Amino acid sequence: MMRTASLALSHLDAWLEAMRGPAGYGGPVVHWWGQCWRFTGAAADWRYEGIILGYLRLWERTAAEVWLARACRAANEVVEQALPSGGYRYSSFELNPSPFGTPHEAACDVALLRLALALRAAGRHAEAAERYAATAARNLQQVYANTLWDGETGGFRDVPSVPGFVPNKQATVAEASFALDEWQGTRTWTERYALPALRLIVRAQELTAGPNFGAIDQILTRSARGWSASGRYFPLYVARCLPALVDGAFRFQDPQMALAARHAAQFIVRRISPTGECPLIVYANGAIRRRPAWIAALGDLLRCLTVAQKVGGPPPPSALLDRLLAGQDANGGIRTAHGFAAILDGRSDPHLPEVRDVLHVAGWADKAFRYLADTVDPPPEPQPPFAEELDIACTFRGRRLRLLELPAELRLEYAGRTVYRWRKGQNWVTLDAIWLDVR
Amino acid sequence: MGNTDYVGGQQPGVPAVTGIRWDVETTIHALATAPPAWWRPPLDITRLLDLLAGLARPPVGIIAPDPTLLLPALIRLPSATVIAIPSGHAATSGQLAMIGAFIGAEPRMTTLSAVSPGSFRTVLWLDLHRPPTLVALRQVDRCLDGTGLLAMAIQSAAIAVPTLTTLRLRRTLQHAGLRIIWTCGFLGPRALVWSAVARLALTAGRLDRYDRYHAAMRAAYAERWPGALLCRTVVVLARGT
């Protein structure tokens, strides 16, 4: 298993190299509630969190300079996207192209700051470290603190004029706040922002006895009548709350945060099937949406559940890693999910995956990369991208397609005709079928 | 963190109409007070602009008095030039400053009368509620080089009810000597039905069904011609001949 996982890491690194263009890691995005298929430019969204921290970890574990070079290369690409406002130009993942994406910009900040801290500790690349930290600090100050922070509520909004607060996004900003304070040698960000943000996450937790005990609601909305919850629990996003809660529990010596993390981890593990499948959404009304079930993003489930063990959370089931590794294709890319066709109880062939299942997305694969970089035997050196064309039969809304991927391009064919083509490195695709044009 | 005063550059040959200077405080204020649609544009605007950004070939000119469209258009086409038309309807200097806060650069500006013939390979007409007159269309056509692309988007107040606006626009384009190559629409009757069903599910407390029907609405969002006649937002692509 470890040899397989180590190979998987090596192959995933090779695939990530094939997703690069002049400005960085690009590609289409698929997501449960929307896609970004036409814009494929390098995006300073959460893909850089896993990419930078994954390469950083490989360097820390092996001392091989090539990994540090890749981490710094990626960090430079985020810095290049910084705007005078402090935001990052294309940071909105499935909502791209657009700046001010959440939690994406904070996720980039976490990576920039952790890399800066590591460089400073190692006495390496001092100027670059300063630049990375300054870029992240400006984003946190100008976008998060000065624009999105709601001091009355004690949380970060998604949009300044809308009083909606997403717990997993509070968690990412809390992680960035901790890192910024470590860089600056202060406690300002920890106390002024991270602490109330973490308390907001705890507020969103379901504490009524029942199957959803420990779950964390997806969005809290504040109105004159008080707080209201969305009624949705996304196990993946509950997981992304765990590292910040655990870190907060130790920093603040706060047993409530530790308990919240433990209960949340227990909720997630209860929901994971014996085959490692985790439902997409659990509703407060008892309904469960199982599909699409994430594959590449299982890396974050694994990572976050592992962290929660520090406060007594259950270990991540081994089936999660099995499922993650089983989702890797021959070119090193990892499938995004299983079951996108079920969103619409679609007309697609039950024996073939939907195209969104098999599309390899940098911003999901980074989570697998980060986890594997931290846990499996690291490869001795990088290998080049696979030259062979990946050819996968798939479907979309009743039509049979072929997904064809080479290091230089990704395309979809329908009835022998190319209906979608992304030349890697280009910001926009050519798309020649209105039925394929979705967002 | 130092001050980050910024004054946008000027594209040679295309005179800038504004000279906006803004600093960090102004930027933050602009971001914080911008309407929600600036942060998260409506889906029909996003779909429309994604389509056009993929087809556009530089140099690009944009006619978009409404900043809710101009901003996401410039995010997708940052090197485009904004063309002010002589109708008295244009983004204010304050709005342009706010747009600059979002895109990190002062928008390049010019007026229709100042544009040299054949300056653009693509022109986007995004004045959704004011389709061009024949006179304006001929002026815009003059800005295009040879067989450059003209994309026009219009919006009607009604959905699922055929309007004459799209038909008139197509006829006007033809009278101006342009060749229509494609028409499509966003948010038509199919999407409207799914949206209504989704809201019913929400009212009934069935969040799970709301999510499914909302996904169905997004999947049914685009319509080809002639279904585009029934859509709220219609895009017509034409070329010079």
Side-chain angles (χ1 to χ4, degrees):
Chain A
M1 169 57 73
M2 284 304 287
R3 183 166 172 275
T4 304
S6 184
L7 267 177
L9 174 60
S10 177
H11 293 175
L12 182 52
D13 165 59
W15 176 79
L16 281 170
E17 281 299 290
M19 292 298 281
R20 292 184 49 75
Y25 298 88
V29 173
V30 298
H31 205 323
W32 137 249
W33 43 63
Q35 348 296 321
C36 180
W37 271 1
R38 284 188 174 271
F39 175 78
T40 47
D45 57 34
W46 65 2
R47 72 192 67 183
Y48 277 90
E49 180 191 49
I51 287 170
I52 292 172
L53 293 175
Y55 282 124
L56 174 61
R57 195 72 189 108
L58 284 176
W59 174 62
E60 289 173 335
R61 296 177 68 202
T62 67
E65 287 297 313
V66 63
W67 306 127
L68 180 62
R70 290 192 177 183
C72 290
R73 180 184 64 181
N76 292 338
E77 287 157 5
V78 175
V79 171
E80 279 298 306
Q81 289 219 13
L83 297 166
S85 62
Y88 301 124
R89 187 175 301 277
Y90 303 130
S91 62
S92 295
F93 200 46
E94 81 279 11
L95 298 178
N96 263 337
S98 186
F100 312 126
T102 58
H104 302 288
E105 296 196 347
C108 287
D109 296 338
V110 173
L112 289 177
L113 286 163
R114 288 293 164 204
L115 177 58
L117 285 162
L119 290 173
R120 188 167 68 182
R124 300 284 306 271
H125 301 317
E127 193 184 313
E130 288 287 342
R131 189 167 63 248
Y132 302 152
T135 301
R138 190 168 68 164
N139 177 262
L140 287 168
Q141 183 65 57
Q142 293 180 198
V143 178
Y144 282 96
N146 290 1
T147 309
L148 296 177
W149 175 248
D150 181 332
E152 197 176 308
T153 308
F156 294 96
R157 301 183 176 201
D158 257 13
V159 174
S161 55
V162 178
F165 304 87
V166 181
N168 79 84
K169 299 182 181 183
Q170 311 300 315
T172 307
V173 188
E175 289 186 65
S177 298
F178 295 147
L180 182 55
D181 267 344
E182 287 175 36
W183 174 263
Q184 294 178 340
T186 57
R187 278 188 66 86
T188 313
W189 286 83
T190 299
E191 310 232 338
R192 186 178 299 169
Y193 299 112
L195 179 57
L198 289 171
R199 288 196 174 130
L200 194 63
I201 298 173
V202 175
R203 173 189 285 278
Q205 190 164 44
E206 174 59 63
L207 294 177
T208 306
N212 295 333
F213 179 82
I216 297 173
D217 193 272
Q218 176 63 10
I219 308 174
L220 289 185
T221 303
R222 182 77 172 163
S223 70
R225 288 191 298 272
W227 288 103
S228 59
S230 73
R232 298 177 181 85
Y233 315 117
F234 289 75
L236 173 63
Y237 295 127
V238 174
R240 281 190 62 93
C241 296
L242 296 177
L245 282 171
V246 171
D247 202 343
F250 287 104
R251 285 177 190 265
F252 301 114
Q253 293 295 297
D254 189 322
Q256 192 185 27
M257 288 182 198
L259 199 58
R262 190 187 321 153
H263 289 155
Q266 289 166 343
F267 161 77
I268 295 168
V269 170
R270 281 200 305 273
R271 293 296 180 179
I272 296 171
S273 78
T275 59
E277 192 170 296
C278 191
L280 175 71
I281 311 173
V282 177
Y283 293 90
N285 66 8
I288 298 175
R289 169 165 283 285
R290 300 188 191 283
R291 305 279 169 81
W294 303 118
I295 296 177
L298 292 178
D300 260 4
L301 273 166
L302 284 157
R303 175 178 64 87
C304 299
L305 287 172
T306 301
V307 169
Q309 288 184 268
K310 295 179 188 174
V311 292
S318 59
L320 287 177
L321 181 58
D322 296 341
R323 184 177 170 77
L324 174 65
L325 296 177
Q328 188 170 45
D329 284 310
N331 68 347
I334 297 187
R335 298 188 176 198
T336 291
H338 169 68
F340 260 99
I343 291 179
L344 301 176
D345 297 324
R347 301 164 278 152
S348 296
D349 186 328
H351 303 297
L352 288 179
E354 212 236 46
V355 64
R356 289 175 289 181
D357 294 336
V358 297
L359 206 60
H360 306 136
V361 176
W364 295 119
D366 75 288
K367 288 127 185 73
F369 180 70
R370 182 180 176 185
Y371 176 75
L372 294 175
D374 192 38
T375 52
V376 309
D377 289 338
E381 58 185 13
Q383 68 175 74
F386 292 87
E388 296 80 18
E389 185 173 59
L390 182 73
D391 186 344
I392 302 179
C394 53
T395 67
F396 187 67
R397 297 169 70 182
R399 294 174 173 87
R400 286 203 170 201
L401 306 178
R402 285 174 71 199
L403 182 148
L404 299 143
E405 185 173 355
L406 283 164
E409 83 168 9
L410 167 74
R411 69 181 194 280
L412 297 174
E413 286 187 358
Y414 170 63
R417 187 172 68 90
T418 297
V419 290
Y420 179 98
R421 186 195 302 269
W422 173 44
R423 290 190 170 85
K424 293 184 181 180
Q426 299 279 317
N427 278 10
W428 296 94
V429 305
T430 50
L431 195 158
D432 193 25
I434 197 166
W435 48 265
L436 190 57
D437 189 5
V438 292
R439 273 221 68 144
Chain B
M1 286 161 283
N3 198 349
T4 53
D5 285 342
Y6 180 85
V7 176
Q10 297 182 14
Q11 183 184 24
V14 183
V17 173
T18 65
I20 302 163
R21 173 178 286 272
W22 34 276
D23 55 21
V24 172
E25 277 187 40
T26 308
T27 303
I28 302 298
H29 178 75
L31 297 179
T33 56
W38 287 41
W39 285 73
R40 301 285 184 264
L43 184 57
D44 57 343
I45 302 303
T46 302
R47 293 291 301 266
L48 154 69
L49 291 173
D50 280 356
L51 170 71
L52 297 182
L55 295 171
R57 295 293 173 263
V60 178
I62 300 176
I63 297 164
D66 183 350
T68 306
L69 271 110
L70 181 56
L71 168 60
L74 288 173
I75 286 173
R76 286 157 174 76
L77 299 163
S79 62
T81 300
V82 182
I83 306 171
I85 52 177
S87 60
H89 186 50
T92 65
S93 59
Q95 289 172 329
L96 290 172
M98 290 170 74
I99 287 175
F102 273 77
I103 65 175
E106 179 186 344
R108 294 188 183 92
M109 296 286 299
T110 188
T111 59
L112 191 56
S113 58
V115 176
S116 305
S119 290
F120 298 108
R121 286 181 71 193
T122 307
V123 170
L124 308 182
W125 181 288
L126 303 177
D127 194 353
L128 296 185
H129 301 290
R130 290 141 57 97
T133 61
L134 188 58
V135 169
L137 206 49
R138 286 186 171 135
Q139 284 180 301
V140 170
D141 185 30
R142 192 181 66 95
C143 301
L144 285 168
D145 79 335
T147 56
L149 179 70
L150 172 61
M152 319 215 74
I154 54 171
Q155 205 170 64
S156 64
I159 307 173
V161 175
T163 68
L164 296 177
T165 311
T166 303
L167 292 171
R168 284 198 200 109
L169 174 61
R170 285 166 56 97
R171 196 164 58 237
T172 307
L173 285 164
Q174 287 161 342
H175 284 166
L178 290 148
R179 180 171 58 93
I180 295 170
I181 56 175
W182 203 50
T183 305
C184 75
F186 299 108
L187 188 53
R190 290 187 304 140
L192 186 65
V193 166
W194 282 117
S195 178
V197 172
R199 288 188 185 279
L200 283 174
L202 193 63
T203 307
R206 290 305 302 264
L207 276 177
D208 52 317
R209 292 198 175 163
Y210 168 83
D211 286 344
R212 183 194 302 174
Y213 301 146
H214 182 77
M217 184 275 291
R218 293 176 75 100
Y221 210 72
E223 300 279 3
R224 289 188 293 192
W225 182 257
L229 269 175
L230 302 177
C231 288
R232 181 165 182 262
T233 304
V234 178
V235 180
V236 182
L237 304 178
R239 282 203 188 280
T241 52

